[in-house]
Amino acid sequence: MTTDDRRADGVAAIIPAKDEQDRIAATVAATIAIPGVDLVIVVDDGSTDRTAATATDAGAVVVGHARNQGKAAAMETGATALAAIEAREAGRAAPRALLFLDGDLESTAGNAAPLVTPVLNGEADMTIGVLPAQKTEGGGRGLVVDLARTGIERATGWTPRQPLSGQRCLTRAAFEAALPLAQGFGVETGLTIDLLRAGFRVVEIDVDFHHRVTGTDLKAQMHRGKQYAHVMRALVTRGIRPSAPARFRRV
């Protein structure tokens, strides 16, 4: 069920991005071409390169943070910017649906239509993109995936295939029901739990997305350690305390 029976009036794509100047133009161009998308907002999350300028040149509305605040904050900033834009539009029947995409999808961002259609048709409140196996999967990320999947299952009874997928489309009512979002890399886990617990309809859909995969060097392992901590925090704050697997080691 939803707290708002009105169907979305169009779709706004919100793309959090940090230091994606080499990929953001292709991502924006492909996103603009998605049926139903009439607005693309790129949230420049403290980039030190030309991400903002490149996204603007590609046709996106760009808002940003002076310093990096993380994906959850970028998602909220994008939604706030969208609300401000819609407040100035005359004759809008209902808010747009929100399509969240990563900034490094490049041309494959254009494959997001399967996420959009069920939300626009009122068949789902949030769709989650299930990506195919990526060309160069990095090592170690399975620990974080397992933690998120197990935590969501314990919290809701539903077992997702890709609990950390950030490629999602949802109604404005669903997004607002999940505020404030879980911080950092726990945002997807928290969003799924909060919406399922509130009775919203969440479905996973296979979509042919491809993105840059985290490697296996020390920096990558530290990144995964932070991911693990953030997902654990999202679970604990929602009353779920899964045990850390024995093979996990702090980095």
Side-chain angles (χ1 to χ4, degrees):
M1 67 179 178
T2 70
T3 57
D4 189 341
D5 292 331
R6 296 177 303 172
R7 293 186 180 180
D9 183 13
V11 181
I14 298 176
I15 305 176
K18 182 180 186 299
D19 296 332
E20 291 289 359
Q21 67 175 15
D22 295 334
R23 300 173 179 84
I24 195 65
T27 301
V28 170
T31 302
I32 289 173
I34 298 169
V37 173
D38 63 357
L39 178 64
V40 176
I41 299 174
V42 170
V43 184
D44 179 22
D45 191 24
S47 294
T48 58
D49 63 6
R50 289 181 50 80
T51 293
T54 304
T56 299
D57 291 344
V61 173
V62 178
V63 295
H65 302 149
R67 59 181 179 80
N68 181 252
Q69 297 185 30
K71 187 174 184 180
M75 291 169 66
E76 292 186 9
T77 293
T80 298
L82 172 60
I85 291 170
E86 290 183 342
R88 299 192 295 268
E89 295 177 335
R92 173 158 294 279
R96 291 174 176 86
L98 309 179
L99 173 64
F100 290 101
L101 297 173
D102 289 345
D104 62 354
L105 295 176
E106 298 185 277
S107 63
T108 68
N111 298 332
L115 297 181
V116 170
T117 301
V119 175
L120 290 182
N121 289 345
E123 299 165 353
D125 302 304
M126 182 171 73
T127 55
I128 303 173
V130 175
L131 283 64
Q134 302 298 289
K135 292 181 180 180
T136 54
E137 290 286 1
R141 193 167 183 264
L143 292 170
V144 189
V145 172
D146 288 348
L147 176 66
R149 180 181 293 120
T150 300
I152 291 170
E153 183 178 33
R154 291 185 183 180
T156 69
W158 181 64
T159 306
R161 287 184 287 161
Q162 287 190 6
L164 300 180
S165 174
Q167 323 315 317
R168 301 180 178 221
C169 187
L170 63 164
T171 65
R172 184 70 56 83
F175 181 79
E176 292 179 352
L179 294 175
L181 301 177
Q183 293 302 296
F185 298 110
V187 60
E188 290 89 5
T189 301
L191 184 58
T192 299
I193 291 173
D194 292 345
L195 292 190
L196 286 172
R197 281 179 166 177
F200 288 89
R201 299 161 300 170
V202 177
V203 295
E204 288 184 312
I205 297 175
D206 292 302
V207 183
D208 190 19
F209 290 136
H210 294 272
H211 62 86
R212 182 179 66 255
V213 178
T214 305
T216 58
D217 59 10
L218 178 59
K219 182 178 179 180
Q221 296 302 327
M222 292 179 67
H223 172 77
R224 291 190 183 93
K226 182 181 290 186
Q227 278 187 312
Y228 194 98
H230 288 185
V231 170
M232 181 66 81
R233 181 172 62 191
L235 294 174
V236 169
T237 57
R238 286 161 176 78
I240 307 300
R241 296 180 180 273
S243 300
R247 67 184 186 278
F248 177 73
R249 297 291 183 270
R250 291 185 178 275
V251 294

